[in-house]
Amino acid sequence: MDLHKEGDRGSAKQKKVKIVFVIGGPGSGKGTQCKRIAQQFGYTHLSVGEILRQEISSGSETGSMIQKIMKEGKLVPSDVTVRLLQQAMQGINSDKFLIDGFPRNEENVKAFEDLTKMEPEFVLYLDCPQDEMEKRLLSRNEGREDDNIETIRKRFKVFMESTLPTIEYYESKGKIRKVDAGKSVDEVFESIKVIFSQGKDNKVPPSRHKCKCLIL
């Protein structure tokens, strides 16, 4: 499935594709919850973080560049991220995509909209306290080299500075669906199930969506 190159011929098909973005700070539980959502609601789950790590593992020149950027706790350029995401979506026979860890900044949003001519159905925001996210990252022992305290704190800072403005952008469009991700995995998923069961009918007044900045 090539979202960019299908052109007018694929416009009808494009309109049927449903995309949900899942965003939250590092350690907010995006991957865990996305696996459950995909299983229960029939979405194809794509983790942008995993896509980037797979590119690193390939040993490509792009992968080496991505590795260096991630070690520094910075964000990968939008054109690179969107290109790799599009490649991952190509050839997948699915009309429902759950995209985990994207967009990470306003530039990601613009690149995605410009290249795919699509917007998400809604954006699931996993709102989790920083101390809880830090505790989870330090205890998960997945062997990821970016799970050290120095890089973790850089990632928190990047999230606060870069990702929160995208939350505000989608909030202004009425697309944010926020859940308290500081609770247990099961409790968080119960809140998520309500959102996905109701879909577009799950409208929450803007005043209840106000984002609280993380204090570093």
Side-chain angles (χ1 to χ4, degrees):
M1 174 181 171
D2 190 329
L3 296 177
H4 182 40
K5 296 180 181 177
E6 283 182 351
D8 293 338
R9 180 176 57 82
S11 59
K13 181 179 179 182
Q14 288 178 358
K15 291 179 182 178
K16 296 179 182 178
V17 175
K18 183 175 182 178
I19 294 174
V20 173
F21 291 151
V22 182
I23 57 181
S28 58
K30 296 186 296 294
T32 298
Q33 296 299 339
C34 282
K35 288 175 184 176
R36 290 189 168 202
I37 295 166
Q39 183 176 16
Q40 181 144 343
F41 295 97
Y43 280 78
T44 296
H45 173 210
L46 293 176
S47 166
V48 169
E50 285 302 317
I51 290 171
L52 295 176
R53 284 187 284 275
Q54 285 171 10
E55 187 67 21
I56 290 172
S57 297
S58 75
S60 69
E61 185 176 339
T62 299
S64 297
M65 178 266 290
I66 292 171
Q67 183 176 38
K68 181 179 179 182
I69 291 171
M70 290 178 71
K71 276 185 176 180
E72 295 173 351
K74 297 178 181 178
L75 295 179
V76 176
S78 295
D79 60 331
V80 175
T81 301
V82 173
R83 177 174 58 80
L84 292 174
L85 179 57
Q86 283 188 296
Q87 288 175 1
M89 295 174 77
Q90 287 173 357
I92 298 177
N93 185 24
S94 176
D95 61 357
K96 292 165 65 176
F97 289 93
L98 189 67
I99 302 180
D100 161 14
F102 183 91
R104 305 225 174 172
N105 56 22
E106 292 174 291
E107 198 177 89
N108 278 178
V109 173
K110 187 177 187 305
F112 185 85
E113 291 181 355
D114 287 349
L115 289 171
T116 69
K117 309 302 180 188
M118 298 180 71
E119 290 188 12
E121 188 81 9
F122 61 88
V123 179
L124 178 65
Y125 171 35
L126 301 183
D127 187 21
C128 189
Q130 182 182 326
D131 57 350
E132 176 64 22
M133 291 190 287
E134 187 172 308
K135 183 174 69 175
R136 291 176 184 178
L137 290 173
L138 292 173
S139 64
R140 69 185 181 182
N141 283 326
E142 291 182 358
R144 283 175 48 178
E145 62 180 305
D146 56 340
D147 279 354
N148 60 76
I149 191 64
E150 184 179 348
T151 300
I152 285 170
R153 287 177 176 166
K154 285 181 181 177
R155 290 165 65 197
F156 284 144
K157 187 172 187 294
V158 168
F159 175 75
M160 184 177 72
E161 294 176 350
S162 301
T163 308
L164 287 182
T166 73
I167 294 169
E168 292 168 358
Y169 167 75
Y170 284 120
E171 182 179 52
S172 73
K173 297 171 78 71
K175 290 181 179 288
I176 287 291
R177 306 289 182 266
K178 183 169 74 170
V179 298
D180 180 356
K183 298 179 180 179
S184 71
V185 171
D186 289 339
E187 287 177 310
V188 174
F189 189 58
E190 285 303 312
S191 298
I192 289 172
K193 282 198 295 186
V194 172
I195 292 170
F196 276 82
S197 296
Q198 295 180 352
K200 289 190 291 186
D201 295 329
N202 183 53
K203 297 294 183 183
V204 181
S207 62
R208 294 178 59 188
H209 275 317
K210 293 301 179 185
C211 303
K212 296 180 180 178
C213 292
L214 302 177
I215 300 174
L216 298 183

